[in-house]
Amino acid sequence: MPKKFLRRVLPNQQSIQQFSVSRRFTGRLDIPELWEVQRDKIAIGLAIGVFCGMIPGPLQMISALALTILLRVNLPMALVGTFLTNPLTIVPLYMLAYMVGQSILGESNWQALPALPVADWTAPITAIQNWTSWIGDLGAPWLVGMLILSCAMAALAYCGMQIIWRVSQYMMMRNRLRQRQARASRLD
């Protein structure tokens, strides 16, 4: 089921080429392995996406793209994995990373997370500078926590996809066996 489902919902190279904006890039992505729907390629692609999704700023999809090309795994699933971080999840994940980093570095005096910056998006350059400054204020605890949290979440994504795929295959085989048994009992 996951293979059929993923083939149906994930974009393929032909569907992406329908958009004039992406047509000029898809010629460079004509590596067949990037579009294959296989258990390991899907699971590694998702893990790469989740890992790269924790990178701050606009480098998430670019780094996921580079790693999928390098490792020859499923590109669409890697890009989907980067959406783990979004406007609703980014601050809690960064706070969690900060707390993990503080505990790993042995900082006994738990410092509160630096105050969130005031984002006046009418002046985007100032808002981006405020957010960049805030990330810089997080320092070493945040960096260590992000690395550990990124690796842990990528491992969970990989294992989760492997489990979902195998359970789905088991259920499909069990249903086929039941159908065969039902047909055989009707013939008797």
Side-chain angles (χ1 to χ4, degrees), residues 131-166:
W131 279 99
T132 305
S133 172
W134 179 72
I135 289 173
D137 291 343
L138 295 174
W142 178 74
L143 287 174
V144 169
M146 282 300 283
L147 182 61
I148 291 169
L149 191 62
S150 297
C151 291
M153 291 176 70
L156 282 173
Y158 176 81
C159 292
M161 182 54 74
Q162 290 281 352
I163 290 169
I164 289 169
W165 194 287
R166 288 173 193 253

Side-chain angles (χ1 to χ4, degrees), residues 106-132:
E107 293 184 10
S108 58
N109 58 346
W110 284 77
Q111 301 169 355
L113 194 68
L116 288 173
V118 176
D120 179 16
W121 291 103
T122 57
I125 293 175
T126 306
I128 291 171
Q129 288 173 342
N130 289 344
W131 279 99
T132 305

Side-chain angles (χ1 to χ4, degrees), residues 3-185:
K3 191 171 194 172
K4 289 179 184 177
F5 173 75
L6 290 173
R7 278 194 176 144
R8 192 174 65 239
V9 299
L10 287 178
N12 58 24
Q13 190 173 11
Q14 291 79 23
S15 66
I16 291 176
Q17 286 178 341
Q18 292 175 355
F19 300 103
S20 61
V21 173
S22 62
R23 209 171 286 140
R24 64 181 138 187
F25 300 110
T26 55
R28 294 183 181 97
L29 301 176
D30 59 352
I31 304 164
E33 290 93 354
L34 298 180
W35 307 98
E36 288 179 354
V37 179
Q38 296 175 350
R39 185 184 74 233
D40 288 333
K41 290 184 184 281
I42 291 283
I44 294 171
L46 181 62
I48 286 171
V50 168
F51 182 83
C52 292
M54 298 295 284
I55 297 171
L59 301 175
Q60 297 172 344
M61 287 196 179
I62 295 169
S63 58
L65 175 69
L67 283 174
T68 55
I69 290 172
L70 180 70
L71 298 175
R72 305 275 199 238
V73 295
N74 190 277
L75 173 64
M77 190 55 87
L79 296 179
V80 166
T82 62
F83 289 113
L84 171 72
T85 53
N86 58 60
L88 296 175
T89 62
I90 195 77
V91 173
L93 286 172
Y94 281 12
M95 291 171 64
L96 179 62
Y98 187 71
M99 292 187 319
V100 167
Q102 279 186 322
S103 64
I104 294 295
L105 293 176
E107 293 184 10
S108 58
N109 58 346
W110 284 77
Q111 301 169 355
L113 194 68
L116 288 173
V118 176
D120 179 16
W121 291 103
T122 57
I125 293 175
T126 306
I128 291 171
Q129 288 173 342
N130 289 344
W131 279 99
T132 305
S133 172
W134 179 72
I135 289 173
D137 291 343
L138 295 174
W142 178 74
L143 287 174
V144 169
M146 282 300 283
L147 182 61
I148 291 169
L149 191 62
S150 297
C151 291
M153 291 176 70
L156 282 173
Y158 176 81
C159 292
M161 182 54 74
Q162 290 281 352
I163 290 169
I164 289 169
W165 194 287
R166 288 173 193 253
V167 167
S168 176
Q169 282 183 327
Y170 170 76
M171 301 281 283
M172 194 169 61
M173 288 186 339
R174 192 177 73 185
N175 287 340
R176 284 182 187 162
L177 180 63
R178 284 183 182 165
Q179 289 173 354
R180 285 184 193 145
Q181 290 173 345
R183 272 187 261 143
S185 67

